[in-house]
Amino acid sequence: MSALAAQDWLTAPSTRSVIAALEAAGGPGCARFVGGCVRNALMGRPIDDIDIATTLKPEETEAAIRAAGLKAVPTGIAHGTVTAVAQRRPFEITTLRRDVTTDGRNATVAFTDDWAEDAARRDFRLNALYADHEGRVFDPTGEGVADAAAGRIVFVGDPRTRIREDYLRILRFFRFFAWYGRGEPDAAGLEACRDLASGMTRLSAERVSKELMKLLAAADPRPAMAAMIGTGVLAQVLPEAGDLALFDAVVDLSDDPVVRLMTLFPVDAEAIRTAAERLRLPNSTRDRLVASAVAAPDVSLAMTDAQVRAAVYRYRGQAVSDAVLRRAAEAPGSDAARLLSIARTWVPPRLPVGGKEVARLGVAPGPETGRLLKAFEADWIADDFPTGGHAERLAALVSARRA
């Protein structure tokens, strides 16, 4: 039997208190760590979330947590999940389950006390791993530990069956390959994803976009994206995406998933806005993608410092920075450090004059005030935002208009 190397989270008082609470109600061995925390511990990766599987029913779990003086939150009680909070750390605890019915999006589950049944309904063998409070690893499929060691992403059982249970597993296959895979993707998994890709139309846009953004955040998602192109999966998710040359180049320039996503779209604000609405991307992501497309025509790698500042004033630093990265991806080997530094650090000043200053020069309120301020702003930007001489510059404009 495999065992986890020493883990701080495993021996932390908060973790011990949760396991002790569950075992007080269900006896030794009624609770095991499951999924990502076990997988990542075996692979030497950081641990984010600590999930626990238990033979206790949800109401028993909730009662056991409360009896131990810990906070219990019924976060997904219908599907068997209760979140325990110990020393401000959340632990998601789920009763062992088996699927009763599935429709490609949602599953009706029944609770069980059979660890093998629970493992059989999971997506990949390296995710169907359990560990007890001493770090002893249980591998019901018999292949999960080996897959974690080798960087193999292999479905539990028949890939087509797993995918038909939830078509999001197609994207998860590529996402886990991007994060944990080594070598070539599993051939049987690829074939199943290719053959069943059209089933992703059943999924909600929010689920798809969240999975896509997680994939793009991997250290190097290029092999996974190439596999998605080859199987037709990317065309299902992002029909706007074409050649991956820009994407491949930008991965070396930025680990920001939004920047990487940007290169999969044409420089077309309306096309991006339409795609963002279809994918139900967060408003902040949509607005950032659109802003970069709007700024892009006025951004080049040949800009002077003053021109970069002018662009930042007009479009804001984030949009200019993103557009610069796109231009750098278009010209591999170019040096965009100077432009990026300005875009990311320079703070645009406020226009130093307004309607009051114009009125003091005898101009009646009205359209002429707006025209004068626009002319002043254009000259001020062209001169690289001088900090003085504003009154004289504005007076000269007013005099010229009256001449």
Side-chain angles (χ1 to χ4, degrees):
M1 178 179 290
S2 299
L4 303 181
Q7 302 287 320
D8 290 342
W9 62 269
L10 191 63
T11 57
S14 56
T15 306
R16 292 294 196 189
S17 66
V18 172
I19 294 296
L22 297 173
E23 291 193 339
C30 75
R32 295 173 182 171
F33 304 103
V34 64
C37 60
V38 182
R39 176 198 65 228
N40 283 20
L42 286 171
M43 300 182 78
R45 301 291 189 94
I47 308 298
D48 295 320
D49 301 319
I50 301 176
D51 295 336
I52 298 171
T54 182
T55 56
L56 293 173
K57 299 299 187 289
E59 62 275 11
E60 295 172 331
T61 297
E62 187 172 0
I65 294 302
R66 294 189 191 282
L70 302 175
K71 183 178 180 180
V73 183
T75 44
I77 202 77
H79 286 84
T81 301
V82 175
T83 298
V85 181
Q87 297 181 11
R88 300 185 178 180
R89 180 157 198 171
F91 298 79
E92 192 170 277
I93 307 165
T94 303
T95 302
L96 302 186
R97 301 174 291 182
R98 59 180 174 83
D99 289 336
V100 177
T101 61
T102 58
D103 63 5
R105 290 183 63 179
N106 304 297
T108 301
V109 301
F111 302 128
T112 180
D113 59 3
D114 188 327
W115 295 93
E117 276 192 318
D118 187 76
R121 68 176 298 278
R122 295 183 180 271
D123 49 11
F124 310 115
R125 298 185 314 202
L126 84 173
N127 287 341
L129 292 169
Y130 307 80
D132 66 14
H133 66 279
E134 294 182 354
R136 291 176 296 189
V137 176
F138 299 83
D139 186 0
T141 71
E143 299 288 347
V145 172
D147 286 351
R152 291 191 299 260
I153 312 302
V154 182
F155 284 98
V156 173
D158 175 53
R160 285 172 171 77
T161 300
R162 294 287 82 76
I163 290 172
R164 290 191 179 102
E165 291 168 348
D166 184 353
Y167 284 95
L168 192 68
R169 286 173 172 169
I170 292 176
L171 276 179
R172 284 175 63 83
F173 175 78
F174 293 104
R175 193 250 288 186
F176 275 85
F177 181 71
W179 277 89
Y180 302 107
R182 297 197 300 274
E184 294 296 319
D186 177 65
L190 271 183
E191 183 179 0
C193 291
R194 177 186 298 110
D195 294 347
L196 299 175
S198 62
M200 288 190 297
T201 57
R202 305 184 187 190
L203 300 171
S204 70
E206 290 85 354
R207 293 184 77 201
V208 169
S209 61
K210 286 180 181 178
E211 200 65 34
L212 177 63
M213 296 308 287
K214 289 178 182 178
L215 188 159
L216 294 176
D220 187 356
R222 288 173 289 200
M225 290 290 286
M228 289 174 70
I229 285 270
T231 55
V233 169
L234 189 60
Q236 287 284 338
V237 179
L238 276 182
E240 297 84 0
D243 184 272
L244 290 181
L246 273 187
F247 175 82
D248 289 348
V250 89
V251 168
D252 289 327
L253 301 174
S254 175
D255 59 5
D256 187 331
V258 178
V259 169
R260 293 172 174 184
L261 178 62
M262 170 189 68
T263 62
L264 299 174
F265 291 116
V267 183
D268 184 328
E270 284 309 309
I272 291 173
R273 188 175 284 109
T274 298
E277 293 297 331
R278 185 188 74 244
L279 289 167
R280 298 290 190 271
L281 292 174
N283 291 345
S284 58
T285 301
R286 176 202 64 204
D287 293 347
R288 183 176 165 190
L289 290 168
V290 169
S292 70
V294 171
D298 289 339
V299 171
S300 79
L301 299 181
M303 289 189 296
T304 64
D305 291 4
Q307 289 171 327
V308 179
R309 286 189 283 269
V312 170
Y313 180 83
R314 293 188 179 98
Y315 304 112
R316 297 302 180 236
Q318 183 71 75
V320 174
S321 174
D322 290 345
V324 166
L325 285 168
R326 186 184 189 104
R327 296 302 182 215
E330 292 170 347
S334 57
D335 183 4
R338 172 181 59 86
L339 284 69
L340 290 171
S341 177
I342 297 171
R344 291 168 177 171
T345 62
W346 185 70
V347 179
R350 296 181 61 182
L351 187 67
V353 299
K356 290 182 179 179
E357 287 77 13
V358 175
R360 290 193 191 106
L361 295 172
V363 179
E368 181 63 13
T369 296
R371 286 191 286 269
L372 283 165
L373 289 175
K374 282 185 177 295
F376 176 92
E377 183 179 46
D379 288 348
W380 180 61
I381 294 171
D383 286 348
D384 198 18
F385 310 96
T387 57
H390 308 312
E392 294 81 2
R393 184 188 297 269
L394 185 60
L397 283 171
V398 171
S399 298
R401 294 281 180 138
R402 288 172 174 167

